[in-house]
Amino acid sequence: MKDFQNIVQKAVETLRRPGAVILVPTETVYALVCRASDEAACRRIFELKQRPFSKVLGWFVSGIPMLQKCNVVVNDRAADLISRYTPGALTLISETADRETQGYRIPDHPLLAAIVEKLDEPLAQTSANASGQPDARSCQEALAQLAGSVDYFVDGGMIPEESKASTVVDTTVYPVKILRQGSVVVEI
């Protein structure tokens, strides 16, 4: 990707603006992301995607220290899976300090990982397709499906058709439970 550092800088500058939402490629599909702490931006993601507000947004994070800073409880089961299978397309569900749950993953996509690292806070995220529609595997497909415009987008080319969704594992139960088998084959 040309001008990698400039793209990361522009993405981070945009995300720091209140209400900002950007479109980026991931290992699996194109995604809408914003700062998880920015409620207005999170609402915009739901509106752009035409997604029911009852569904929770997952997070992209840089690792366990960021999760702990945000009051996500990383139990031994989650820590083991993080050490064995991340970074990559593994979404874990953990409890927060206030007994809610939060889904998150540590991305393996170099651009996305660099953005999260430089921003130094979780990114709320969801796939960039209209709710109920097929995943967007190109920037153009994503932009065409959205109900409005984003503040910045990165065209990272086509996401390969063989790319699968992330594997989703609930670490709040014992033994952990695989909720969706995706591209990462988890051995429990």
Side-chain angles (χ1 to χ4, degrees):
M1 193 173 293
K2 284 181 151 182
D3 299 322
F4 183 84
Q5 291 305 323
N6 290 337
I7 292 170
V8 170
Q9 185 64 35
K10 175 71 173 166
V12 169
E13 287 172 0
T14 303
L15 287 165
R16 286 187 175 138
R17 293 195 325 247
V21 174
I22 68 171
L23 171 70
V24 292
T26 75
E27 310 91 310
T28 58
V29 294
Y30 273 80
L32 293 170
V33 301
C34 69
R35 288 181 300 116
S37 62
D38 186 338
E39 291 181 24
C42 290
R43 275 193 308 278
R44 275 193 65 213
I45 284 181
F46 283 98
E47 292 164 359
L48 287 165
K49 188 176 167 81
Q50 298 176 329
R51 177 182 174 135
F53 285 97
S54 59
K55 293 189 175 187
V56 178
L57 296 174
W59 287 356
F60 287 127
V61 297
S62 59
I64 292 174
M66 182 178 285
L67 289 164
Q68 291 171 331
K69 187 170 81 174
C70 296
N71 296 318
V72 174
V73 179
V74 181
N75 61 30
D76 291 343
R77 298 177 297 279
D80 175 59
L81 293 170
I82 288 169
S83 71
R84 291 194 289 153
Y85 298 105
T86 68
L90 174 65
T91 299
L92 299 176
I93 299 171
S94 293
E95 283 189 337
T96 63
D98 60 0
R99 311 291 287 170
E100 298 292 322
T101 58
Q102 181 61 56
Y104 58 89
R105 78 182 178 90
I106 301 168
D108 194 28
H109 191 281
L111 176 70
L112 189 52
I115 291 168
V116 173
E117 189 71 33
K118 188 166 182 74
L119 188 65
D120 195 31
E121 64 179 291
L123 288 176
Q125 56 86 15
T126 186
S127 58
N129 54 304
S131 190
Q133 295 301 307
D135 291 331
R137 298 202 177 269
S138 74
C139 186
Q140 293 75 22
E141 285 176 14
L143 291 170
Q145 289 190 45
L146 299 176
S149 60
V150 293
D151 298 286
Y152 181 66
F153 65 86
V154 178
D155 188 342
M158 287 293 293
I159 306 289
E161 282 295 321
E162 62 273 9
S163 293
K164 292 181 182 178
S166 66
T167 298
V168 179
V169 179
D170 183 351
T171 68
T172 67
V173 295
Y174 182 82
V176 298
K177 184 175 182 180
I178 297 173
L179 302 179
R180 177 178 72 199
Q181 188 61 60
S183 60
V184 175
V185 178
V186 173
E187 293 180 19
I188 307 293

